[in-house]
Amino acid sequence: MFNINNKEIGAFVSRLIEENFGSAREFCRAYLKENNTEVTPDTIQNLANRLSQIKKGAKAIQIYDLPIFSKLLDVSYEQILSAGKSGVPKNSRMTNYTIAQSHNIKEWTTYIERDDKPILNPDEFGKTVLEYAIEFGNYDFLKFLIDKNYIWFDSRKDNDYVMTFGAGTSIHRIKFEERDGGVFIRKPPMDDLQYKLATEDQLRMHLISFAADHKDINMLKKLRARELPELYYKAHYLSCTHPDFNAHYNKAMVSHIAKSHDKVLDYFTDRFEIRDRIEYKDGSKRKHTFIFPYISQLLNMLIENNSPFLKTALEKAIEHNEATEKELNLLINQSIDNGCYYGDNWKNEVDFNKNGNIVSFRDTLSVTGIITNIANVTKKSNNSKINQLIKKLNDSYNRIVQIKRGK
């Protein structure tokens, strides 16, 4: 048993309001919303006056207050009435950890729309809600966040493509907080969710794995799953540092793709174009054609898995290699014909980098050039026809690698 002491209850409630809401007025707004009461300056002020008396111990907390106080302050009735001296702590408080496991849209929305925006912060273990959702494999929640544009992994602005594809969130903290007495203070920008989205491409790669498992082609397109941000700020500089494919390689992601449905594999083995900042005389922008940066690793895994899609994947890779070889030779010959290079000087502009199997060439006079990646494999199959395709692929790869040494 315990005695009801209004002053102690008032002090206990006051502390919880400060910890959970920062100000009495924020608590009053939340109380009115929870009670389905219109939130106006008058209703806020009336409740604030009554709350002030409760905090001082001049008035007792009412029975009808208990359910709302209990929910908003995340304590039991007994804890409130005993001023925290008795009662078992509630375990229903929504956190990054609990929300990331939830499959309830209402709970997701409530958590996202909370005024204090806990979703933007890491918890006591340093984890954001996205990291927990990935850990729990909660694709429904992640898809909900993307479909509702709460988060995105592609800003659709090429200039943003550096560490990520301009990933970000529309969830923003209230920049100014009203304290008691009508005083406003500015809250510091400490949104870990936005920081991790903007700086860590690993989150996107985890989502690519989930989308591949779910055969979700639309999601893969939203995530630009075949591409790397580096392609957009390095690939157009044909004579500069090439993209570092090895640094971004995620074996687990490629393994998920290798075991996925044929339509997913078809998507990942298609060629794709990226825009360049260089403009031709007619105003059109230069484009470069690539294939999945980890196509060679993917093909090796398909061989190991004896995938039904292997034959198609090899044929598409061969087609890409042979098209690259043809275009490369054409550009070299055109550069010689237009007088850009004499003798074997063109060889100085042919570059091959094993990191990603990237090949490039430029004609400085006509502002033309090529940069792309090519495929090869190191595995063998038990199927003789597949081995013939493997040989054809590797032969085309070797011819491209040898171009610099003599056409």
Side-chain angles (χ1 to χ4, degrees):
M1 289 292 295
F2 52 83
N3 295 319
I4 302 295
N5 185 313
N6 288 336
K7 284 191 175 181
E8 290 183 356
I9 291 172
F12 179 65
V13 166
S14 179
R15 177 172 62 81
L16 290 177
I17 289 174
E18 179 67 25
E19 290 176 355
N20 289 278
F21 291 88
S23 74
R25 286 183 175 274
E26 284 300 317
F27 175 79
C28 289
R29 289 189 182 92
Y31 182 105
L32 293 168
K33 289 179 182 178
E34 188 66 30
N35 199 38
N36 294 319
T37 302
E38 185 179 4
V39 180
T40 67
D42 288 340
T43 57
I44 291 173
Q45 189 59 53
N46 289 338
L47 181 56
N49 291 339
R50 186 164 72 86
L51 180 62
S52 178
Q53 295 300 306
I54 292 172
K55 290 164 68 176
K56 292 176 183 177
K59 285 189 177 181
I61 191 167
Q62 301 299 303
I63 293 175
Y64 56 78
D65 286 324
L66 285 174
I68 300 177
F69 274 59
S70 174
K71 181 175 181 179
L72 295 179
L73 301 178
D74 194 38
V75 289
S76 65
Y77 296 0
E78 189 175 357
Q79 284 178 288
I80 293 173
L81 296 175
S82 68
K85 296 175 182 177
S86 299
V88 178
K90 289 176 64 179
N91 293 316
S92 60
R93 181 171 66 92
M94 289 191 292
T95 64
N96 286 347
Y97 183 84
T98 58
I99 287 299
Q101 297 179 75
S102 170
H103 289 269
N104 186 312
I105 293 178
K106 186 176 180 181
E107 288 183 352
W108 299 338
T109 304
T110 299
Y111 192 63
I112 291 167
E113 294 180 354
R114 273 183 56 167
D115 289 337
D116 54 347
K117 295 294 184 282
I119 193 171
L120 293 173
N121 296 330
D123 64 5
E124 63 270 32
F125 301 106
K127 289 189 175 183
T128 64
V129 70
L130 284 187
E131 290 169 312
Y132 277 125
I134 288 168
E135 184 178 316
F136 298 132
N138 193 345
Y139 186 67
D140 291 339
F141 177 50
L142 294 166
K143 185 174 171 63
F144 169 81
L145 291 173
I146 293 173
D147 288 346
K148 296 297 182 181
N149 207 38
Y150 285 120
I151 63 173
W152 56 84
F153 288 85
D154 181 12
S155 67
R156 301 292 172 183
K157 298 175 183 176
D158 290 5
N159 290 338
D160 293 343
Y161 300 170
V162 182
M163 298 177 72
T164 70
F165 284 111
T169 176
S170 62
I171 306 169
H172 297 295
R173 193 184 308 282
I174 298 172
K175 292 184 178 180
F176 292 90
E177 178 184 288
E178 184 181 359
R179 293 289 188 177
D180 291 342
V183 177
F184 287 84
I185 64 168
R186 186 178 181 87
K187 290 185 175 182
M190 298 175 63
D191 300 344
D192 200 66
L193 178 63
Q194 171 60 47
Y195 176 78
K196 291 205 171 188
L197 282 169
T199 60
E200 296 182 9
D201 203 37
Q202 289 298 317
L203 294 173
R204 182 179 68 95
M205 292 186 180
H206 281 298
L207 271 167
I208 290 171
S209 296
F210 290 146
D213 292 344
H214 286 80
K215 299 177 284 189
D216 193 341
I217 301 298
N218 288 333
M219 180 62 73
L220 291 171
K221 290 178 179 178
K222 285 183 180 180
L223 296 170
R224 301 187 88 98
R226 293 178 301 207
E227 305 173 46
L228 290 177
E230 275 194 328
L231 291 177
Y232 285 83
Y233 73 94
K234 283 189 175 179
H236 59 275
Y237 296 118
L238 297 180
S239 62
C240 297
T241 305
H242 290 160
D244 186 357
F245 286 0
N246 291 348
H248 301 277
Y249 179 58
N250 186 313
K251 184 177 180 180
M253 180 190 76
V254 179
S255 180
H256 277 267
I257 296 166
K259 297 173 183 176
S260 60
H261 191 271
D262 283 3
K263 68 177 184 179
V264 174
L265 289 168
D266 194 44
Y267 166 81
F268 276 99
T269 51
D270 275 348
R271 305 170 83 200
F272 60 89
E273 288 185 337
I274 67 163
R275 294 181 296 276
D276 200 331
R277 295 179 187 177
I278 303 298
E279 288 190 2
Y280 293 121
K281 293 179 181 179
D282 62 2
S284 63
K285 287 193 174 183
R286 190 168 63 185
K287 294 180 180 180
H288 302 293
T289 302
F290 282 84
I291 198 166
F292 182 46
Y294 309 113
I295 184 65
S296 296
Q297 294 93 326
L298 177 59
L299 290 171
N300 279 326
M301 289 183 185
L302 293 179
I303 294 169
E304 288 181 329
N305 298 343
N306 195 26
S307 169
F309 194 78
L310 175 58
K311 179 176 180 292
T312 300
L314 286 169
E315 288 173 342
K316 292 172 76 172
I318 291 167
E319 182 181 358
H320 171 72
N321 276 11
E322 291 181 343
T324 298
E325 181 185 7
K326 181 178 179 181
E327 183 178 359
L328 184 57
N329 280 315
L330 178 64
L331 286 170
I332 290 170
N333 288 327
Q334 286 178 344
S335 70
I336 294 172
D337 291 342
N338 66 24
C340 182
Y341 300 112
Y342 297 93
D344 289 341
N345 288 341
W346 57 267
K347 293 181 181 180
N348 296 326
E349 293 298 335
V350 178
D351 192 26
F352 175 76
N353 191 331
K354 285 188 176 181
N355 182 346
N357 292 327
I358 302 171
V359 60
S360 65
F361 172 77
R362 67 171 183 168
D363 182 323
T364 55
L365 287 182
S366 60
V367 201
T368 58
I370 182 176
I371 182 169
T372 188
N373 57 317
I374 54 177
N376 73 325
V377 295
T378 58
K379 304 294 182 181
K380 295 291 183 181
S381 170
N382 293 325
N383 185 312
S384 60
K385 290 185 178 179
I386 292 296
N387 281 331
Q388 289 175 10
L389 291 174
I390 290 173
K391 183 178 184 304
K392 188 174 182 180
L393 175 70
N394 287 340
D395 284 348
S396 64
Y397 173 89
N398 290 327
R399 286 196 302 271
I400 294 170
V401 172
Q402 294 297 323
I403 281 179
K404 187 169 184 175
R405 299 179 185 177
K407 292 192 295 177

